[in-house]
Amino acid sequence: MTKQCFGTSHVPLSPAVRAGDFVFVSGQVPVGADGIVVKGGITEQTEQVLANVKAALALAGCAMEDVVKTTVWIEDARDFGAFNAVYAKHFPKDPPARTTVESRLMIDIKIEVEAVAYKPL
């Protein structure tokens, strides 16, 4: 099986990596195209993170419908309801398996999401 990396980052990671029929998306954080964390709370940050997941998937020829598993870290468990409402809009049908945990994050953000997609070549 060959490994194919997609995209670039200012830190040592690939935004997306294809290994066989699976695409792994690195944890996406709520930064816009300018590299700055978006203003707002969990709702705005979740929207940006999921837009970033979608963009990373597209680099590898995948879409949100191809996602089979996500892992979500939120900074405050009290934000779970608002996060979940935004998340549901992005996965309206047959949502992926998901793990969600409360965690201190590496930078001052409210959420990070990684994804695994399945799309045979």
Side-chain angles (χ1 to χ4, degrees):
M1 174 176 11
T2 61
K3 176 176 92 170
Q4 190 176 13
C5 297
F6 299 90
T8 60
S9 177
H10 69 283
V11 294
L13 60 80
S14 295
V17 176
R18 176 179 280 280
D21 292 338
F22 288 94
V23 172
F24 299 87
V25 174
S26 292
Q28 297 296 302
V29 296
V31 296
D34 58 4
I36 297 173
V37 174
V38 298
K39 294 185 188 299
I42 191 67
T43 298
E44 295 82 6
Q45 288 198 6
T46 301
E47 288 286 0
Q48 184 63 57
V49 164
L50 293 175
N52 293 348
V53 167
K54 184 178 180 179
L57 287 165
L59 293 171
C62 292
M64 297 295 266
E65 296 79 21
D66 300 315
V67 175
V68 295
K69 172 72 168 84
T70 61
T71 304
V72 179
W73 295 269
I74 58 174
E75 184 262 340
D76 187 338
R78 293 172 292 188
D79 287 336
F80 181 75
F83 149 75
N84 212 40
V86 174
Y87 185 93
K89 291 189 312 184
H90 290 267
F91 296 103
K93 184 174 184 244
D94 300 325
R98 180 180 85 193
T99 301
T100 306
V101 297
E102 180 183 47
S103 178
R104 188 169 56 115
L105 299 168
M106 298 306 292
I107 59 176
D108 187 19
I109 56 176
K110 299 192 174 296
I111 185 168
E112 182 171 343
V113 177
E114 72 175 22
V116 177
Y118 175 76
K119 186 163 187 181
L121 292 171

